[in-house]
Amino acid sequence: MVSCLAEEVKRPQRDLPLGIVGSLAIASSTYIAVSIVVTGMLVFTQLGQSAPIVAAFDAVGYHWACYIVSVGAVLGTVTATFSGLLGQPRIFYRMAKDGLLFPLFCKVSAKTGVPVLGTLITGLVTTGIAFFCSLELLADNISLPCHRSPSARCARSAS
């Protein structure tokens, strides 16, 4: 989602690569550190399928940590959702500027500078999907757009 906000950055040539590489480095380091700690707490075959970190803390008797990890998981899901909602209207805006969508998507609010129609459509579609789908399905598929985009680029370059 960092790259979706390129037009918001004052010095994109310098700041965008720093943001992308920095966020990947922080996320990867955190993921590796948590994986090392959790597999040090409990043999990986004993970790649960749905919530392995909670299972690890529960198995060693840190029940209070289970609540903290669960709240963090919920907040992380909400953050991922809001990140998608932030980036998608800007993608619509850029596509409209390039002539790939209707010019209505180019209009921004004079007061806030936010692409109004793209934000409304993204919000309404997201609300509709959330209304008709279970929370489990939504949580399992929250990162689907992140995985779809690189695979689409790989498919195009292979053909």
Side-chain angles (χ1 to χ4, degrees):
M1 282 300 137
V2 175
S3 61
C4 292
L5 302 173
E7 292 182 352
E8 313 283 333
V9 178
K10 290 182 181 175
R11 293 180 289 181
Q13 294 291 335
R14 182 190 76 109
D15 295 342
L16 211 55
L18 283 175
I20 292 171
V21 171
S23 61
L24 284 173
I26 291 169
S28 298
S29 301
T30 304
Y31 185 83
I32 291 168
V34 168
S35 298
I36 290 170
V37 169
V38 169
T39 54
M41 291 170 64
L42 199 62
V43 179
F44 76 93
T45 56
Q46 296 175 340
L47 294 173
Q49 290 288 328
S50 62
I53 298 173
V54 173
F57 280 113
D58 194 37
V60 296
Y62 291 122
H63 305 292
W64 57 269
C66 297
Y67 298 110
I68 294 172
V69 171
S70 296
V71 168
V74 169
L75 292 177
T77 303
V78 170
T79 302
T81 303
F82 283 145
S83 297
L85 289 174
L86 178 70
Q88 188 61 51
R90 281 149 178 83
I91 293 170
F92 287 155
Y93 172 79
R94 190 70 250 164
M95 289 174 69
K97 282 284 196 186
D98 292 341
L100 299 172
L101 281 177
F102 301 111
L104 288 170
F105 286 96
C106 288
K107 295 186 179 181
V108 295
S109 167
K111 184 178 179 182
T112 61
V114 173
V116 177
L117 185 63
T119 303
L120 287 173
I121 289 176
T122 301
L124 289 172
V125 169
T126 303
T127 302
I129 291 170
F131 185 75
F132 292 108
C133 296
S134 69
L135 181 59
E136 182 180 0
L137 179 68
L138 293 172
D140 287 344
N141 292 298
I142 194 74
S143 63
L144 189 61
C146 299
H147 301 298
R148 185 189 65 222
S149 180
S151 63
R153 283 193 295 270
C154 291
R156 276 192 300 252
S157 64
S159 58

